[in-house]
Amino acid sequence: MNLKALFTWKRVAVVAAALWLLLQIVLIVVFWDVAQRSDQGLYMKMATECFEKGVWYPDVDSIYTSYIWAPGLINFFILQLKLFGTLKANFFLNLLMNVGILWNVWYLSNRFFSRRTAYIAVTLFCLMYSNVMVVLPAGTEVPFLFLSITALSLSLQPRLRRIALAGVLLAFANWVRPLIIIFVPVILLYFWRHKSRWTSYVALLAPIVLLSIGFGLLAQRQMGYFVYQSTTSGINLIMTANDKAYGGVASSLCNDSTSTCYIKDVERYTFAERDSIRKARAIEWIKSHPGRFATLYVMKLAGLYVEDSWPERPIIGGDGFVDKAAHGGADKASIVKRVWNMFYKSVVYYAVLLMFVIAVVKRRKDILTDKGYLLLLLLLGTLSTCIFSVSPRYHYPFFFAAIIWAAYWLDLKTAKPAKA
């Protein structure tokens, strides 16, 4: 082992992490009183309303809403209001979870690659714009990734107690955002390839099933419907399966009476009925336009990874711009300004993407080793996400895998050749 090189990258990682942590604290102070926009602002509003009524989410007032939205996150906010009387605490909870995510990046890099790669991965993670700004939005991203990546790390350890804890964390992660479908298969494949005992499968899956049932029963007691996760698949599918779709989130089409996204007298329908209507219409459109849907799918692969400035929009504005531009509501000058803003804030992200691609090409022989589990996670996340409407922020839950592989390439590239 090249101890000198290891010490150098360790120092760089420590400095990068310290500055990253300090910058997040500064951002919290600067944006302390800024009202949140978009989905994040609505999450906070819904949590506050439930808190004032003395109920958990969802409740009877949720029956005739558009969908059940991130119940785990909204209940997390309600809990904060009960404990602290404010949602300002979420800034610091996000900060703590972000530190936890960083530690897991270090652990997984060290586990599958090397300690040197781990320090490089920490450095790259801390240099990315999104990983600094993400501390501010009150969204699903940080809680979901913290729970899921911690569960992934725990599941790699042979002790049943840790695997069971991983199952618990995955259940809560799914309650926040229904995306553990990409983590569970990777973990199960790891168990199978490493000839884990059957008790490992039970320890992982039993908590997921039992807690999900518990979440569903809690909702059923309050509103009469068994709901254990978000019910947004219908709206996310139809926004990318209609004649005016462009592949991204197109909320404006729900108010466009000429679009199949629009439901007449929508307030008459429950969230479950709306979801059913949207899914049926979307599936029918896909059957009638398979070529168009395939084209959109390819476009979404690019749109998912186009930039890295997404966490700023709920804080400083700009949400909904792409939807507006895609339907002729933005002039050329504003589009150029937006593109430039996204580009210069994404320079490190683009460098990481490039190094990741080079690493996969150059080290393709490693894909079928343990190093490939992270690539599988990234692949499943990308392919499943692109079935629905996409936004650049949707790559966040699995992009850490690309960071680690980029660090792997940089490790190999900067390593000094061994003396003969």
Side-chain angles (χ1 to χ4, degrees):
M1 180 182 293
N2 191 328
L3 295 178
K4 184 177 179 181
L6 174 62
F7 175 72
T8 300
W9 275 114
K10 181 178 180 179
R11 280 178 49 184
V12 172
V14 169
V15 172
L19 292 174
W20 171 79
L21 185 61
L22 178 62
L23 186 53
Q24 288 178 89
I25 294 172
V26 171
L27 286 171
I28 289 173
V29 173
V30 171
F31 291 98
W32 183 259
D33 290 318
V34 174
Q36 303 223 3
R37 307 159 57 98
S38 191
D39 295 357
Q40 292 75 8
L42 290 174
Y43 295 148
M44 298 173 78
K45 179 176 181 290
M46 294 162 70
T48 302
E49 290 173 350
C50 286
F51 171 70
E52 291 173 348
K53 291 184 293 184
V55 298
W56 296 99
Y57 175 82
D59 70 325
V60 291
D61 292 333
S62 305
I63 295 175
Y64 286 92
T65 57
S66 293
Y67 30 74
I68 304 304
W69 214 0
L73 181 71
I74 295 173
N75 283 315
F76 180 46
F77 290 164
I78 296 171
L79 180 61
Q80 290 179 42
L81 288 168
K82 288 178 179 290
L83 294 176
F84 310 114
T86 177
L87 288 178
K88 298 293 186 184
N90 194 64
F91 285 128
F92 300 104
L93 293 172
N94 265 358
L95 180 60
L96 290 174
M97 288 187 286
N98 213 13
V99 171
I101 291 168
L102 181 64
W103 184 89
N104 278 287
V105 167
W106 185 92
Y107 173 81
L108 292 171
S109 303
N110 187 44
R111 173 70 172 73
F112 289 127
F113 296 87
S114 70
R115 187 170 293 262
R116 192 168 185 266
T117 296
Y119 287 128
I120 297 173
V122 166
T123 302
L124 295 179
F125 184 94
C126 292
L127 290 176
M128 284 180 53
Y129 184 81
S130 61
N131 290 332
V132 178
M133 288 294 293
V134 78
V135 73
L136 298 177
T140 60
E141 284 75 23
V142 173
F144 175 82
L145 181 54
F146 169 71
L147 293 168
S148 297
I149 196 173
T150 304
L152 177 61
S153 296
L154 288 169
S155 67
L156 302 178
Q157 302 171 37
R159 295 182 180 178
L160 288 181
R161 285 180 297 176
R162 296 187 179 183
I163 294 173
L165 178 57
V168 170
L169 295 181
L170 285 170
F172 277 97
N174 191 68
W175 202 29
V176 171
R177 190 171 185 170
L179 196 60
I180 64 165
I181 191 172
I182 70 173
F183 283 85
V184 173
V186 172
I187 294 171
L188 294 179
L189 178 62
Y190 178 87
F191 287 170
W192 178 71
R193 290 190 60 185
H194 285 261
K195 297 180 170 56
S196 299
R197 298 180 62 185
W198 65 270
T199 49
S200 296
Y201 296 86
V202 175
L204 180 76
L205 297 176
I208 297 175
V209 173
L210 293 176
L211 280 171
S212 295
I213 291 173
F215 298 147
L217 291 175
L218 173 64
Q220 188 173 48
R221 189 180 73 174
Q222 291 203 141
M223 65 185 299
Y225 289 83
F226 184 89
V227 180
Y228 65 95
Q229 63 180 21
S230 298
T231 63
T232 53
S233 56
I235 186 67
N236 284 327
L237 184 60
I238 199 168
M239 283 193 294
T240 190
N242 65 82
D243 291 340
K244 298 184 179 182
Y246 68 96
V249 176
S251 302
S252 64
L253 295 181
C254 294
N255 299 316
D256 182 352
S257 60
T258 66
S259 170
T260 53
C261 294
Y262 178 80
I263 300 176
K264 186 178 180 181
D265 298 325
V266 68
E267 65 278 356
R268 293 168 41 204
Y269 299 95
T270 67
F271 72 91
E273 291 170 332
R274 298 182 200 190
D275 188 60
S276 179
I277 291 170
R278 287 163 178 154
K279 284 179 180 176
R281 290 181 181 179
I283 292 172
E284 190 61 35
W285 187 90
I286 294 170
K287 289 179 180 178
S288 301
H289 305 83
R292 173 62 177 158
F293 187 74
T295 301
L296 285 170
Y297 190 93
V298 174
M299 291 171 59
K300 285 183 281 187
L301 291 171
L304 183 62
Y305 291 101
V306 69
E307 56 98 14
D308 193 47
S309 69
W310 55 267
E312 69 178 28
R313 289 194 267 284
I315 306 299
I316 64 177
D319 48 303
F321 180 86
V322 179
D323 183 11
K324 181 179 178 182
H327 297 105
D331 58 80
K332 185 177 180 180
S334 61
I335 293 175
V336 171
K337 181 179 179 181
R338 177 63 172 268
V339 170
W340 170 246
N341 178 71
M342 293 190 302
F343 176 78
Y344 80 82
K345 292 175 180 177
S346 304
V347 169
V348 174
Y349 167 76
Y350 294 140
V352 170
L353 265 182
L354 178 61
M355 289 187 287
F356 163 69
V357 172
I358 294 173
V360 173
V361 173
K362 294 284 189 181
R363 306 297 302 183
R364 54 189 177 274
K365 66 180 182 180
D366 292 326
I367 292 176
L368 296 181
T369 68
D370 278 0
K371 296 178 176 67
Y373 289 115
L374 297 178
L375 289 182
L376 179 59
L377 188 67
L378 185 70
L379 179 64
L380 292 176
T382 300
L383 295 180
S384 60
T385 299
C386 287
I387 295 172
F388 305 95
S389 56
V390 304
S391 170
R393 73 183 176 95
Y394 294 170
H395 71 242
Y396 174 79
F398 39 85
F399 192 74
F400 71 89
I403 296 173
I404 294 173
W405 265 77
Y408 179 41
W409 177 83
L410 191 56
D411 181 4
L412 296 174
K413 192 69 176 176
T414 58
K416 292 182 179 180
K419 293 182 180 180

